[in-house]
Amino acid sequence: MNTPASQKAPLEEFKAIVSDGTQKELFVANTVTIKKITDKDNAECWSIIAFQDVINKTTGSPEIFGIHLYISAAPSLKPRRLVAALPPPTAVKDSAIYFKVLDKIPDPDRDLDTQELYQSLDGSVVELEDADRIQGHFSFSALAPDRTPTHVMGHFDILNKGSHSI
């Protein structure tokens, strides 16, 4: 049965390339959470968290990769500079974090036990929003836990409706 175009759900995506200089990983979110929050300086911002569920090819363990953007809620027609992020749960307006939740301690249940944070050092974001959607492009530099420089570049076009699959 064909559904009229006016009744189809709007397409959403959140994609990025994560590069450490020797390899590139494609990040394709399958779930996003978006909400307005207040950062550490009481500035209103969007908290956008995109999650990618993966299976470790070597161990077969589930893993979660994510990108967390804290974007100023004040409208802007020009690119914004991303600043250094702080570890969660502390939010800093116009910052970003790439993260991995991994199973590094072997156990029969393959429990996720280790979080790696790649907090933005600098970067930029351009976003547009209306009552129903928020979309934009971003890029930022971060250091991996082993101090390897890491770069994240991506884009998103998502509905503004809390936590949902895309």
Side-chain angles (χ1 to χ4, degrees), residues 134-145:
I134 185 166
Q135 50 190 294
H137 299 270
F138 61 91
S139 79
F140 64 93
S141 298
L143 291 178

Side-chain angles (χ1 to χ4, degrees), residues 70-121:
Y70 299 107
I71 303 172
S72 174
S76 175
L77 297 176
K78 60 183 185 175
R80 295 175 202 230
R81 186 174 148 256
L82 291 180
V83 300
L86 294 175
T90 306
V92 177
K93 178 182 73 172
D94 294 331
S95 68
I97 299 172
Y98 174 66
F99 63 90
K100 297 180 179 182
V101 184
L102 310 169
D103 176 23
K104 285 202 167 179
I105 302 170
D107 60 66
D109 295 329
R110 295 183 175 153
D111 290 332
L112 299 177
D113 49 50
T114 304
Q115 185 176 43
E116 294 181 353
L117 297 177
Y118 302 67
Q119 297 163 223
S120 64
L121 301 171

Side-chain angles (χ1 to χ4, degrees), residues 11-22:
L11 295 178
E12 295 181 89
E13 69 177 9
F14 191 115
K15 294 182 178 179
I17 300 288
V18 180
S19 172
D20 67 5
T22 61

Side-chain angles (χ1 to χ4, degrees), residues 30-106:
N30 57 318
T31 306
V32 295
T33 299
I34 179 170
K35 62 183 175 180
K36 278 198 177 173
I37 63 165
T38 304
D39 82 348
K40 70 176 187 66
D41 297 320
N42 291 323
E44 191 173 67
C45 57
W46 289 105
S47 167
I48 302 171
I49 309 173
F51 299 97
Q52 177 186 28
D53 299 316
V54 297
I55 300 294
N56 183 300
K57 293 174 187 158
T58 305
T59 65
S61 298
E63 298 179 339
I64 301 168
F65 295 174
I67 297 175
H68 196 159
L69 301 174
Y70 299 107
I71 303 172
S72 174
S76 175
L77 297 176
K78 60 183 185 175
R80 295 175 202 230
R81 186 174 148 256
L82 291 180
V83 300
L86 294 175
T90 306
V92 177
K93 178 182 73 172
D94 294 331
S95 68
I97 299 172
Y98 174 66
F99 63 90
K100 297 180 179 182
V101 184
L102 310 169
D103 176 23
K104 285 202 167 179
I105 302 170

Side-chain angles (χ1 to χ4, degrees), residues 2-13 132-133 157-159 161 164-166:
N2 290 336
T3 305
S6 63
Q7 293 180 3
K8 288 184 179 178
L11 295 178
E12 295 181 89
E13 69 177 9
D132 298 324
R133 303 185 83 78
D157 184 352
I158 57 176
L159 293 174
K161 64 174 194 175
H164 62 281
S165 296
I166 61 172

